[in-house]
Amino acid sequence: MARYGMVIDTARCVGCMDCVVACKTENGVPDGHCRDWITEEARGAWPTVRLELRSERCNHCDRPPCVTCCPTGASHVEEELGRIVLVAHDQCIGCKACLASCPYDARFIHPEGYADKCTFCAHRVAKGLEPACVAVCPARCMHFGDLDDPLGEVSRLLESRRNHALLPAAGTGPRIFFLT
Amino acid sequence: MTTLSRRRFLQISTGAAGLAAAGCFQGPQVPEWLGPAPAAADEIRTTPTYCDVCFWKCGALATTRNGRLWKIEGNPRDPLSRGRLCPRGTGGVGAHFDRTRLTAPLIRRQSRGAEEWAEVTWGEALDHIARGMQAIRQQYGPEAMALFSHGIGGNFLKHTFKAFGTPNLAAPSYAQCRGPRDVGFTLTFGDEVGTPERTDIRNARCLVLIGSHLGENMHNSQVQDFAEAVGNGASIIVVDPRFSVAAGKAHWYLPIKPGTDLALLLAWMHVLVEEGLYDKEYVAAHGFGFEAFAAELAPWTPEWAWPATGIEPETIRATAREMARHRPATLVHPGRHATWYGDDTQRSRAVALLNALLGSWGRKGGFYAPASVDVPAYPYPPYPTPARGKVDNPGHRYPFADGALTTGIRAATLTGEPYPVKGWMVYATNLLQALPAPEETIRAIRNLDLLVVVDVIPSEIAGWADVVLPESVYLERWDDLNTEGFREPFVSLRQPVVEPPGGQKPNWWIARELALRLGLGAWYPWKTVEEYLDHRLQAAGYSLAELREKGVITGPPQPLYFEEGVPAEFPTPSGKIEFWSPQLARAGFDPVPRFKAPEEPPAGAFRLLFGRSPVHTFSRTQTNPVLASVQDENEVWVNAAVARRQGWEQGAYVRLRNQDGVVSNRVKVRATERIRPDCVYMVHGFGHTAKGLPPAFRKGASDNLLVSRYAVDPLMGGTGMNVNFVTLEAEA
Amino acid sequence: METTELTVHRLNPLVDPGLHVWGWEIPVYLFLGGLVAGLMILSGYLLLTGRHRRPAGAFHRLPGLAIALLSLGMLALFLDLEHKLYVWRLYTTFQIASPMSWGAWILLLVYPALAASFLISRQSRRMERPGLVRRVGLLNLGLGLLLGIYTGVLLSALGARPLWNSALLGPLFLVSGLSSAAALVHLMARDREERDLFAKADNLFLGTELALVVLFVLGLLSATEAHVQAVRLLLGGPYTAVFWVFVVGLGIVVPLIVQPPAVRHRIRHTPVAPLLVLAGGLALRFVIVQAGQMSHWR
């Protein structure tokens, strides 16, 4: 079975937030909330600075603590769809354990009361399309695919470029990798 | 006719905006553009058009779900967007849903500035304008009417005004933006850089960005090309007082002292000439006056440039050699907004000369020759010849200006010289945020008999108008064809995707209705814009039906470079690249650019620099709910050590006070290692004061308000705006 | 040292700039849950040792009190939910890996156990069969232990908040619950012997609790940097004063000073010590829940 993830080239990323806007319109994300966001990390002192720009979102982890801690099973792994982590809105009670369990703070409570987050645009992926953020990126720095396919684009990128995931010590097995 | 008192207008707009605030900004709610959850039976329709959130005009595909606007994506057929829009284009749905939009024509009832409005019908508003324009024509002549416009939506209004008989049509994009650059390049190569810029970024092996903050400045095609170049391992050199996003990708980052770029350029050229690293064949074949030019460069060594710029000589030499290493595929990007210090034409000429030395003009990885589809203009009767010339540049005071100067028209309006200007129409440009020294604009407005503003939101300039006309946004209207020259020739169409939510009308209808009332029907033989478009397209061998379906039709690919057959022609007086410019010398200017150090900031003050956000366009998108939800205020970038010393915490709110005592609105401090200690930086377009824009009202600070001083370029009249100094003070 | 500027362009409510998903409702629930757990264990003990029959004994009031307190706790829990209409979804499934699911079902089972205990306390003749009394006692004891521990495991299973990431949190909350329960019963006891008994028990629980607090802190100090940063919230950070003064000082140490002499009849029993214990128990939950949300892996 497939295991979907993303590989994002931070060298090409310009931090323009097109991914944020596209997600907003594609998914109707409520005002004051976002499912994905840009993080700027600048190291060093003026003028010797290094800058990494990252488009971040839920990492759809291999060992998602948000799924483990959910008391109703609303937060679940979609085995048939590349193991994307989703929330069934009508099973969620809004206890917020999943928000507390996520080391990336990727979740939020939707104004209607259920826990919400990036869904890897499951509704698009199911139709063979890429997530909206990947499709819109003008820097063409975002790649989505099956991490278990050794010949697939994401695997080849991970093999050919230096890369890192976020907070590996938290131990959740994130599936979004940043090329540096 | 309902009399809309100011209180009620404010009540309505504030109430609506309050609802919007409650709905969209204070408490989180499901956005209204979501509509009901998607279902299998949803009717999905996609309509091609081209974007208007900025002037780039990317081809777009707008999708509705059950008749409601859902999302906008790039049109894969479009060479500008290549199927991907920038964040503003993607957020364009917000322009349709923006609750602050003007909905009906307004006429002021009291003295200007009292803001007492009456909502009127289109007929009443247009009659009022026509009467006003005719009165001006009678008393002062048609030349006393001026049109300020921005974007392709101004085309039909320009047509009406030309038919009316005035030569005074201007866009801020010349004197406040690209003017010096295009004149500098024209003086050197005989041709301008143009719109969209003919920069072959994607093929550059070495890319030099001087102040150009691609990635934050979101010219879609250029950013896409920039990412390509980075991905291809191009050598990136960034010269900027601020460590921009582009600087983050640079192999060399030169933290130059503001206002000294010309010294660096001269030193670079000195190195290339002295070390013989320039493209000798190219210069020999195409250059004029090279020996005199080389002689002029002799004193401008890297050691000379060092104290002025703060860049070490070894770095200047190393970067010059790096540029030479990759020539001719070395692109020294000329930027676009070039109006910085008042010597901008000469600085842009220096950029052109550097490119000439590297042989990049007309070569792959440098500057290509744009091509366009030839769609004939509509066959109108000839325009009347105005009795008097343009008012903006009397006596050719700025001898090399090849475009109309907005600030020149403003000056004439203020002084009445060389002749009075008594009426302005302003289309799609917020002059109070676009022209420097806004208090001059207000004083000029007070001299007018008639001020008409055509806009989509009640912007600051609309607040001063006698008549405000609400235009429909681009998603709701037709517009003129886009046939701008680019890497491949194309023609693209703008057509309505959804209905306007109120009584808003498109620019072509306004222009036509006004013309008919002015007795200019001869220039509007077509009744609907579809007739106009169809006629032009058929004359070019295309069909409107096909273009409606595809959105963009590309022509056969044309050669881009000299190597591919583009003739190596330079329409200068000598027919060659003018390294040494006789026409400049004759006019009393430096034939080869010379550097003059800029004024130092007063003690304790910082030079005010400004730039762009990828999520906003000028001051026109801050009430777009989608874009505002991503960024709703700007920040002032302050060097971290300076902030610590002065006691400004990250996120604290301060005010900026400039050398003339102008004080800004409160703005958040961004204390960062990413900027020089001697300057501060803000994104342009915030700090709105228009009461009809509650979501943006007093959010962030307006840089333009602080540009009370500007330096006029003596060659072409451009207004250098980086010449103001500010101190920070407590918000109080 | 190299400075890092991290700018995160995200401002989600309850999450940014710091996690704040749980306010007063969860600490109150955890406290009441722990208190009820303690009451159930103490009731179980009384049932198993036959002391439930003492005429002036506290046992007669415990089950009713426990039911009332537990219901208050569950109300607090319900108020915390953001999707309240779907609360019934807790009971259409059992998620074995989710401590909260365990808790939902434990809470459900606790009511019948308390009801049985309540019937016994009403001295219903039907309930006076020794076998039944024993089973009800064991049931209360067992469920009380589960309830007490689960309140801590609930937090310790959320690894993303390093402050909670200690296996000692479950036992700590259990012992704290026991000590709060003992203090409450001590307050309610009319029988002098019972008062001494529960004060003595409380001293034992308080001593254990103190040891567990120390081990909890030491455990975090010897773990990863994220854990060390987390426990620093209590060792110099914003929660230092409230933790050591209110939770440990007033909530454990002072009672441990005052109560033993009272037990040995050197001084009179006063409500001071048990009230401090109860307040300390509530404060413990508040501090751990709030400080825990502040701790993170970045």
Side-chain angles (χ1 to χ4, degrees):
Chain A
M1 281 274 89
R3 199 164 60 97
Y4 289 141
M6 273 193 195
V7 171
I8 303 176
D9 190 346
T10 65
R12 291 179 70 126
C13 174
V14 292
C16 70
M17 307 206 210
D18 215 343
C19 46
V20 179
V21 180
C23 173
K24 238 180 209 304
T25 56
E26 175 75 37
N27 295 297
V29 180
D31 280 329
H33 298 74
C34 58
R35 290 183 173 186
D36 61 352
W37 58 91
I38 292 295
T39 295
E40 302 173 50
E41 190 169 332
R43 290 176 188 265
W46 170 262
T48 318
V49 179
R50 291 180 326 276
L51 182 64
E52 181 170 281
L53 300 167
R54 296 192 294 265
S55 171
E56 299 183 0
R57 61 195 45 65
C58 162
N59 289 281
H60 295 270
C61 302
D62 278 335
R63 294 174 292 283
C66 53
V67 171
T68 320
C69 75
C70 178
T72 65
S75 190
H76 64 281
V77 173
E78 201 66 55
E79 301 283 350
E80 302 297 310
L81 194 62
R83 313 206 71 225
I84 293 179
V85 178
L86 293 176
V87 178
H89 300 172
D90 58 356
Q91 286 177 37
C92 174
I93 63 173
C95 72
K96 294 161 290 189
C98 58
L99 269 73
S101 75
C102 177
Y104 307 101
D105 291 335
R107 289 179 169 234
F108 59 91
I109 294 295
H110 191 280
E112 284 175 12
Y114 51 82
D116 202 13
K117 66 182 192 66
C118 163
T119 59
F120 268 176
C121 283
H123 62 287
R124 287 173 60 102
V125 171
K127 286 191 281 199
L129 298 170
E130 291 180 315
C133 54
V134 175
V136 80
C137 177
R140 290 176 172 78
C141 76
M142 313 219 354
H143 307 271
F144 174 86
D146 182 5
L147 291 167
D148 282 345
D149 176 6
L151 299 175
E153 189 191 25
V154 288
S155 303
R156 284 190 284 112
L157 279 167
L158 289 176
E159 262 163 51
S160 60
R161 295 270 303 268
R162 257 202 302 260
N163 61 80
H164 68 95
L166 297 180
L167 302 179
T172 61
R175 298 211 295 260
I176 297 193
F177 300 90
F178 296 93
L179 304 177
T180 53
Chain B
M1 173 180 77
T2 46
T3 302
L4 208 67
S5 75
R6 172 197 180 199
R7 187 183 299 169
R8 182 141 163 72
F9 173 66
L10 287 179
Q11 263 177 6
I12 290 174
S13 54
T14 327
L19 276 177
C24 300
F25 302 101
Q26 279 162 15
Q29 280 189 14
V30 180
E32 61 174 324
W33 63 83
L34 174 58
D42 276 344
E43 194 212 320
I44 310 287
R45 277 190 69 204
T46 299
T47 309
T49 181
Y50 64 82
C51 185
D52 195 47
V53 188
C54 88
F55 63 86
W56 209 256
K57 301 185 277 290
C58 294
L61 298 174
T63 300
T64 56
R65 178 162 57 198
N66 302 323
R68 287 185 110 255
L69 195 55
W70 174 20
K71 60 182 175 178
I72 310 178
E73 296 157 298
N75 185 340
R77 286 196 169 93
D78 171 52
L80 290 168
S81 70
R82 292 160 64 201
R84 294 164 187 246
L85 295 179
C86 86
R88 301 156 308 155
T90 307
V93 290
H96 174 66
F97 290 107
D98 185 343
R99 300 234 196 142
T100 66
R101 286 178 66 174
L102 297 162
T103 51
L106 304 168
I107 293 183
R108 72 170 174 88
R109 286 296 167 203
Q110 297 287 348
S111 56
R112 226 174 252 143
E115 290 183 85
E116 182 132 336
W117 303 94
E119 216 173 84
V120 298
T121 64
W122 276 101
E124 287 164 332
L126 291 163
D127 286 342
H128 183 107
I129 298 170
R131 274 197 304 272
M133 286 176 70
Q134 271 151 346
I136 290 174
R137 171 163 56 188
Q138 197 147 23
Q139 198 181 352
Y140 300 96
E143 306 86 3
M145 276 302 305
L147 172 68
F148 296 85
S149 72
H150 174 86
I152 199 170
N155 283 8
F156 293 105
L157 286 165
K158 281 190 245 186
H159 174 60
T160 295
F161 270 59
K162 284 187 210 167
F164 183 73
T166 173
N168 294 312
L169 317 172
S173 53
Y174 185 73
Q176 278 69 58
C177 187
R178 63 174 178 84
R181 176 198 73 178
D182 284 342
V183 172
F185 269 67
T186 302
L187 285 167
T188 310
F189 294 110
D191 205 355
E192 58 176 30
V193 180
T195 305
E197 283 71 11
R198 53 201 290 180
T199 46
D200 197 18
I201 295 172
R202 72 172 75 150
N203 292 312
R205 296 307 308 150
C206 177
L207 177 65
V208 183
L209 299 172
I210 304 172
S212 178
H213 48 307
L214 286 179
E216 290 156 287
N217 181 28
M218 197 68 207
H219 291 149
N220 194 2
S221 320
Q222 294 200 30
V223 174
Q224 294 192 26
D225 281 0
F226 179 48
E228 284 301 313
V230 169
N232 289 337
S235 177
I236 313 282
I237 300 170
V238 168
V239 179
D240 200 319
R242 182 183 67 101
F243 192 89
S244 58
V245 163
K249 304 184 186 311
H251 303 90
W252 275 273
Y253 168 57
L254 277 58
I256 196 166
K257 181 169 168 154
T260 64
D261 312 89
L262 185 45
L264 175 64
L265 288 159
L266 291 168
W268 271 337
M269 292 195 282
H270 173 100
V271 172
L272 291 181
V273 168
E274 187 188 57
E275 299 187 9
L277 297 172
Y278 62 98
D279 191 332
K280 295 189 174 126
E281 243 181 61
Y282 181 93
V283 171
H286 306 301
F288 167 90
F290 179 77
E291 287 74 32
F293 160 79
E296 285 279 339
L297 285 179
W300 315 136
T301 63
E303 285 71 20
W304 160 83
W306 183 15
T309 60
I311 311 295
E312 278 119 8
E314 309 82 68
T315 307
I316 297 178
R317 288 201 166 83
T319 43
R321 290 167 190 156
E322 178 70 6
M323 287 184 239
R325 218 177 102 213
H326 297 283
R327 62 167 173 81
T330 297
L331 172 60
V332 184
H333 198 290
R336 183 174 175 87
H337 176 88
T339 45
W340 298 354
Y341 301 98
D343 62 348
D344 310 300
T345 307
Q346 292 283 27
R347 186 191 71 255
S348 299
R349 173 156 153 76
V351 172
L353 288 167
L354 178 56
N355 279 295
L357 283 178
L358 295 163
S360 64
W361 183 269
R363 315 282 280 286
K364 185 171 181 183
F367 296 82
Y368 64 84
S372 54
V373 165
D374 184 23
V375 179
Y378 196 94
Y380 294 123
Y383 296 118
T385 313
R388 295 171 292 182
K390 295 188 301 133
V391 83
D392 66 313
N393 190 5
H396 285 288
R397 183 171 164 202
Y398 305 108
F400 295 98
D402 57 359
L405 305 171
T406 40
T407 26
I409 298 179
R410 179 177 75 176
T413 310
L414 263 170
T415 61
E417 299 296 332
Y419 58 82
V421 174
K422 300 306 281 184
W424 286 4
M425 177 177 281
V426 180
Y427 173 79
T429 172
N430 188 4
L431 291 184
L432 284 167
Q433 283 259 28
L435 303 184
E439 65 79 35
E440 280 185 41
T441 309
I442 292 174
R443 280 195 292 123
I445 288 173
R446 291 209 170 99
N447 285 348
L448 296 173
D449 286 350
L450 177 68
L451 174 59
V452 180
V453 170
V454 184
D455 208 330
V456 297
I457 52 174
S459 54
E460 280 78 18
I461 187 67
W464 285 84
D466 303 320
V467 187
V468 181
L469 298 181
E471 195 193 10
S472 44
V473 302
Y474 67 104
L475 296 160
E476 303 152 2
R477 68 179 201 243
W478 298 89
D479 237 314
D480 207 351
L481 297 167
N482 180 20
T483 55
E484 271 174 351
F486 194 56
R487 313 183 62 90
E488 45 187 308
F490 70 92
V491 53
S492 82
L493 175 77
R494 176 175 291 160
Q495 59 181 328
V497 178
V498 284
E499 290 287 311
Q504 301 96 345
K505 292 285 186 197
N507 58 76
W508 63 264
W509 182 92
I510 296 171
R512 182 168 186 276
E513 288 290 316
L514 184 59
L516 293 176
R517 283 168 173 78
L518 291 167
L520 305 171
W523 282 273
Y524 279 90
W526 46 265
K527 289 190 192 44
T528 67
V529 73
E530 287 121 293
E531 271 181 58
Y532 161 86
L533 295 167
D534 196 30
H535 181 107
R536 287 189 65 196
L537 287 167
Q538 282 196 38
Y542 299 107
S543 86
L544 179 60
E546 188 193 0
L547 195 53
R548 289 197 72 178
E549 190 214 314
K550 294 185 174 161
V552 182
I553 297 177
T554 48
Q558 302 293 320
L560 294 171
Y561 317 112
F562 297 158
E563 276 145 8
E564 291 180 352
V566 171
E569 284 162 2
F570 305 93
T572 58
S574 60
K576 297 201 175 236
I577 301 175
E578 303 210 332
F579 282 92
W580 196 95
S581 172
Q583 56 176 334
L584 279 177
R586 268 195 308 274
F589 297 108
D590 294 323
V592 174
R594 282 170 162 255
F595 169 70
K596 183 161 159 264
E599 195 188 336
E600 290 291 324
F606 310 92
R607 188 179 293 273
L608 175 66
L609 303 176
F610 57 88
R612 306 286 177 228
S613 158
V615 170
H616 283 288
T617 305
F618 308 139
S619 67
R620 66 194 341 206
T621 52
Q622 285 74 24
T623 55
N624 175 321
V626 180
L627 299 178
S629 73
V630 178
Q631 181 186 14
D632 67 347
E633 60 178 334
N634 60 355
E635 299 173 315
V636 57
W637 290 46
V638 183
N639 176 277
V642 168
R644 267 193 306 272
R645 253 201 320 274
Q646 296 208 345
W648 303 120
E649 295 238 334
Q650 176 76 282
Y653 279 87
V654 298
R655 288 185 195 272
L656 304 177
R657 177 186 292 267
N658 81 355
Q659 70 283 335
D660 299 326
V662 179
V663 180
S664 75
N665 188 44
R666 65 196 287 265
V667 62
K668 208 193 267 198
V669 165
R670 178 175 173 155
T672 174
E673 296 291 343
R674 289 172 58 189
I675 191 167
R676 285 178 62 100
D678 58 3
C679 47
V680 297
Y681 170 87
M682 292 198 306
V683 166
H684 170 82
F686 287 85
H688 282 279
T689 54
K691 297 202 178 71
L693 305 176
F697 185 72
R698 299 231 173 102
K699 285 265 181 79
S702 165
D703 55 309
N704 197 56
L705 184 70
L706 296 165
V707 181
S708 51
R709 238 197 314 171
Y710 54 96
V712 180
D713 185 305
L715 276 70
M716 49 66 62
T719 54
M721 297 186 254
N722 294 7
V723 295
N724 292 274
F725 304 105
V726 295
T727 53
L728 276 63
E729 55 189 49
E731 181 198 344
Chain C
M1 202 182 88
E2 189 177 67
T3 46
T4 302
E5 272 171 39
L6 193 69
T7 311
V8 180
H9 296 278
R10 183 191 71 205
L11 207 65
N12 279 334
L14 303 182
V15 172
D16 300 300
L19 188 78
H20 192 75
V21 289
W22 291 327
W24 63 267
E25 296 88 344
I26 297 301
V28 164
Y29 158 71
L30 293 176
F31 171 68
L32 291 173
L35 183 56
V36 167
L39 289 174
M40 287 177 74
I41 294 170
L42 296 177
S43 302
Y45 166 77
L46 292 172
L47 285 168
L48 288 171
T49 57
R51 286 176 205 246
H52 64 288
R53 285 192 215 91
R54 290 178 73 97
F59 175 78
H60 303 288
R61 286 164 286 153
L62 289 189
L65 181 64
I67 290 174
L69 288 173
L70 186 64
S71 304
L72 273 176
M74 303 226 12
L75 177 65
L77 202 57
F78 179 74
L79 289 177
D80 173 73
L81 297 180
E82 304 284 349
H83 216 207
K84 293 176 172 61
L85 291 176
Y86 292 82
V87 65
W88 54 275
R89 285 287 193 188
L90 282 171
Y91 296 105
T92 59
T93 178
F94 175 60
Q95 300 289 318
I96 197 167
S98 161
M100 200 176 280
S101 186
W102 277 81
W105 286 102
I106 289 170
L107 286 167
L108 204 64
L109 297 175
V110 158
Y111 274 98
L114 286 173
S117 200
F118 178 77
L119 287 174
I120 292 177
S121 78
R122 290 293 109 198
Q123 289 167 324
S124 127
R125 204 156 299 157
R126 235 177 319 143
M127 301 296 290
E128 263 311 322
R129 286 176 281 141
L132 184 61
V133 167
R134 188 162 182 279
R135 268 184 234 122
V136 171
L138 281 171
L139 189 64
N140 274 275
L141 189 69
L143 280 173
L145 277 166
L146 275 175
L147 180 60
I149 285 206
Y150 126 82
T151 59
V153 172
L154 184 68
L155 294 183
S156 68
L158 298 172
R161 310 296 144 191
L163 184 71
W164 296 337
N165 211 213
S166 165
L168 291 173
L169 206 57
L172 174 61
F173 277 16
L174 171 65
V175 173
S176 168
L178 271 168
S179 123
S180 298
L184 183 61
V185 179
H186 171 184
L187 273 175
M188 289 164 51
R190 297 191 203 114
D191 181 308
R192 196 178 188 229
E193 205 192 309
E194 256 196 358
R195 193 180 303 146
D196 280 351
L197 173 69
F198 285 106
K200 213 189 291 183
D202 200 12
N203 292 341
L204 174 67
F205 298 141
L206 285 170
T208 313
E209 194 181 346
L210 188 60
L212 285 173
V213 165
V214 171
L215 287 172
F216 169 73
V217 170
L218 289 178
L220 289 173
L221 274 174
S222 50
T224 75
E225 181 176 342
H227 295 96
V228 171
Q229 295 283 7
V231 78
R232 288 228 180 98
L233 290 165
L234 308 175
L235 299 171
Y239 290 92
T240 309
V242 64
F243 184 71
W244 295 104
V245 171
F246 288 97
V247 176
V248 178
L250 294 174
I252 303 177
V253 172
V254 168
L256 266 178
I257 293 173
V258 168
Q259 231 163 219
V263 167
R264 277 175 271 143
H265 305 143
R266 294 269 176 79
I267 60 174
R268 292 179 57 152
H269 283 289
T270 69
V272 173
L275 282 173
L276 283 178
V277 169
L278 284 167
L282 184 61
L284 171 69
R285 301 314 190 285
F286 264 95
V287 170
I288 295 294
V289 169
Q290 299 314 323
Q293 291 180 85
M294 233 193 217
S295 68
H296 55 75
W297 271 94
R298 273 184 270 113

